[in-house]
Amino acid sequence: MRGKDRCVFPLGKSLLPSHHDRPASAHPRHAPPAPTPRRPVAPEDAEATSAMMTPAVSQWLASWPLPFTVAMARERIATARATAESRQALSLAVTARDTGELLGWIMLHRTREDPRKAALGYWLGEAHHRRGYLREAANALLPVAVAWRDVDRIEASAQPENASSFAVMRACGLTFRREAVIHAPARNRQELVHVYVVARDALTPPSGTARK
């Protein structure tokens, strides 16, 4: 995408359709509340972000150390919003549809070594694990984000023991590509990860979303 064909999502606006925008037939009568990445992370998310960054969550994340204080969360959010404005990254709040409660984060950023490639990351608070929330959130986000960021492929990685993360990746169409060793600043050590990849052409953007 170039010039006027580029999709623009200003901070503070919903990046994805609200469930209120769907036709009535799209709402299962007894469906439980489900999350969606509806907005960029915001300063008011700092306290909840800090509280949810527990050992069970941080252990799988390379750059979210413990303790993760409210001040650190505020700084992370400020950086996330700045990089979104510069179109280098996108950090969204995964929220409960009915209440707006923050459940976690989902992130996409251009890699330094290849601006045509984006890295996907995500996490949820412990109370929200194993409910399929991230699969829904990531599947909704990726086609929009790929078109917006104008990248050719998306990569995600996780430690070999993180079966839940690989399930999310596979549900989004990512497939195993290679093993790699990365530096995890959260623990100040090198760690083995498995890298999964999906090409842009394998993702279908929503109707009306510009593509290159």
Side-chain angles (χ1 to χ4, degrees), residues 168-191:
V168 173
M169 296 177 200
R170 288 192 293 268
C172 295
L174 283 77
T175 56
F176 175 76
R177 180 64 56 88
R178 65 184 185 277
E179 288 188 343
V181 175
I182 66 168
H183 179 66
R187 290 167 291 280
N188 192 29
R189 69 187 187 194
Q190 303 294 104
E191 295 183 351

Side-chain angles (χ1 to χ4, degrees), residues 109-212:
H109 65 86
R110 292 185 192 275
T111 61
R112 293 179 180 178
E113 68 275 12
D114 183 356
R116 303 296 303 174
K117 179 176 69 177
L120 173 68
Y122 41 76
W123 62 266
L124 293 176
E126 284 185 68
H128 314 300
H129 287 182
R130 301 187 183 281
R131 299 186 183 185
Y133 289 170
L134 277 175
R135 297 186 193 192
E136 177 185 340
N139 267 310
L141 168 66
L142 289 187
V144 178
V146 165
W148 181 23
R149 287 296 183 244
D150 195 15
V151 296
D152 293 332
R153 63 190 183 281
I154 292 174
E155 288 191 355
S157 63
Q159 298 143 313
E161 302 81 9
N162 195 347
S164 295
S165 187
F166 295 132
V168 173
M169 296 177 200
R170 288 192 293 268
C172 295
L174 283 77
T175 56
F176 175 76
R177 180 64 56 88
R178 65 184 185 277
E179 288 188 343
V181 175
I182 66 168
H183 179 66
R187 290 167 291 280
N188 192 29
R189 69 187 187 194
Q190 303 294 104
E191 295 183 351
L192 177 69
V193 295
H194 289 180
V195 180
Y196 280 60
V197 180
V198 64
R200 175 185 183 135
D201 290 344
L203 298 169
T204 303
S207 177
T209 301
R211 291 188 63 170
K212 182 179 176 182

Side-chain angles (χ1 to χ4, degrees), residues 13-117:
K13 295 295 185 75
S14 173
L15 302 193
L16 296 170
S18 165
H19 71 298
H20 297 297
D21 298 328
R22 297 177 182 175
S25 60
H27 294 275
R29 184 178 299 273
H30 300 294
T36 184
R38 302 179 59 156
R39 58 170 176 80
V41 293
E44 56 267 28
D45 296 322
E47 290 191 8
T49 296
S50 173
M52 287 190 291
M53 192 49 56
T54 60
V57 176
S58 176
Q59 67 174 329
W60 303 117
L61 304 174
S63 61
W64 295 74
L66 291 176
F68 199 78
T69 65
V70 174
M72 293 167 69
R74 291 193 184 109
E75 181 178 358
R76 181 68 62 99
I77 290 167
T79 299
R81 292 175 69 85
T83 54
E85 290 283 12
S86 66
R87 306 185 64 84
Q88 296 305 305
L90 186 63
S91 296
L92 299 183
V94 180
T95 60
R97 282 194 179 126
D98 289 355
T99 66
E101 175 191 4
L102 182 69
L103 308 181
W105 286 39
I106 185 166
M107 303 148 285
L108 196 71
H109 65 86
R110 292 185 192 275
T111 61
R112 293 179 180 178
E113 68 275 12
D114 183 356
R116 303 296 303 174
K117 179 176 69 177

